[in-house]
């Protein structure tokens, strides 16, 4: 299988999980942990853990944190092309979580200045798939990189998947979906924000006019597939433990979906496998938690069935 190429944020996630409702001007018990993150980086790592080769491009600061995050991805087996920003530091993303719902604070960092010159274009041309995220759309430099990456992929006939990434940014700034998307994977709120439809089924049908396959992530309710005007619900998979943190679950879900499709699974089976991985990621803190060997073997069985 040819490698998947993706690019974008590589950050440190600081996840603060409250044990009870936050109270103003006083103390709230909870837990604070840090772990590697970044939507495209998470997607790359999970794709590699699922057994597929990955090339990832990013921009980090000239600092210890950036070097550590790059080294961590390389230990995962991901091929990393990392530009070093001489001015801005590696970003730290702060997430406040109550176990499932998240509130994210996004600071400006080196990742916001990833530009077309940071793209290893030959690795796009020789890729078997390009995955892009909506986060690249919301800043000038990264938008230019996104446009260039898509142009190179189109010229080379490389299929593209796209994750809109942020309903909040879409509502504030808008988002023009790229042309020629093979797989579009918004969550429920992103699908509504992209279309203005209150009903998720209406939103999925509308988006199916812009992509060959639309896969709407519904969290604990599973997923909704839309293709050629036809809708299919994919049921959730029961996790092995209660949910504690939703960070990165959508990235893992998307990686499993695309990995399954690339290996010949039909969209329903690929989405069902993605539901299994997403359900397990939320049972642990962080975007890339280690899963039990039994879970990983089950994913392999479903991939090869």
């Amino acid at each position: 299988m040819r490698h998947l190429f993706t690019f974008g944020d590589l950050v440190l996630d600081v996840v603060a999980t409250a044990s009870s409702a936050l109270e103003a001007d006083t103390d709230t018990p909870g837990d604070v942990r840090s772990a590697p993150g970044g939507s495209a980086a998470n997607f790359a790592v999970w794709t590699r853990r699922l057994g597929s080769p990955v090339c990832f491009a990013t921009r980090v600061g000239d600092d210890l944190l950036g070097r550590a995050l790059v080294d961590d991805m390389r230990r995962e087996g991901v091929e990393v092309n990392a530009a070093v920003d001489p001015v801005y530091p590696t970003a730290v993303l702060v997430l406040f979580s109550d176990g499932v719902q998240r509130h994210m604070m996004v600071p400006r960092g080196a990742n916001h200045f990833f530009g077309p010159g940071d793209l290893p274009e030959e690795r796009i041309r020789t890729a078997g798939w390009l995955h892009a995220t909506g986060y690249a759309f919301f800043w000038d430099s990264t938008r230019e990189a996104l446009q260039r990456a898509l142009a190179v992929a189109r010229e080379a006939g490389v299929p593209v998947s796209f994750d809109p990434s942020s309903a909040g940014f879409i509502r504030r700034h808008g988002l023009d979906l790229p042309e020629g998307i093979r797989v579009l994977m918004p969550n429920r709120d992103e699908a509504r924000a992209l279309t203005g439809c209150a009903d998720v089924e209406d939103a999925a049908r509308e988006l199916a006019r812009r992509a060959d396959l639309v896969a709407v992530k519904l969290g604990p309710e599973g997923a909704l597939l839309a293709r050629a005007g036809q809708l299919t619900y994919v049921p959730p998979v029961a996790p092995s433990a209660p949910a504690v943190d939703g960070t990165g679950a959508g990235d893992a879900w998307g990686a499993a979906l695309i990995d399954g499709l690339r290996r010949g699974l039909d969209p329903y089976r690929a989405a069902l496998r993605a539901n299994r991985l997403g359900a397990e990621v939320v049972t642990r803190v962080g975007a890339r938690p280690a899963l039990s060997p039994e879970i990983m073997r089950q994913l392999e069985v479903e991939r090869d069935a």
Side-chain angles (χ1 to χ4, degrees), residues 18 41 45 67 71 76 98 111 139 158 161 179 203 247 254 259:
V45 168
R67 291 187 287 274
D71 288 345
E76 291 274 4
D98 62 4
N111 53 311
W139 291 273
V158 177
S161 55
E179 297 294 331
T247 306
D259 180 75

Side-chain angles (χ1 to χ4, degrees), residues 172-186:
R172 286 192 290 272
H173 306 293
L175 192 158
D176 295 326
L177 288 175
E179 297 294 331
I181 299 174
R182 181 74 61 86
V183 182
L184 177 65
M185 51 181 82

Side-chain angles (χ1 to χ4, degrees), residues 155-171:
E155 291 168 3
V158 177
V160 174
S161 55
F162 188 74
D163 186 330
S165 303
S166 173
F169 281 151
I170 293 168
R171 287 190 290 264

Side-chain angles (χ1 to χ4, degrees), residues 284 290-300:
R284 297 159 177 82
L291 300 183
S292 70
E294 291 77 12
I295 293 297
M296 298 308 293
R297 281 195 292 270
Q298 181 61 38
L299 291 167
E300 290 178 5

Side-chain angles (χ1 to χ4, degrees), residues 3 5 55 119-127 152 156:
H3 65 274
F5 181 87
C55 178
L119 288 168
E121 292 191 4
E122 189 58 28
R123 300 302 285 152
I124 302 176
R125 294 187 182 94
T126 58
V152 173

Side-chain angles (χ1 to χ4, degrees), residues 10-12 36 56 58-75 80 82-85 88-92 110:
L10 178 59
V11 305
L12 182 71
F56 172 67
T58 189
R59 190 175 186 89
V60 296
D62 186 10
D63 48 41
L64 179 62
L65 176 57
R67 291 187 287 274
L69 290 172
V70 169
D71 288 345
D72 178 72
M73 290 199 70
R74 287 174 174 159
R75 284 192 296 271
V80 182
V84 177
D85 195 291
Y88 287 93
T90 303
V92 176

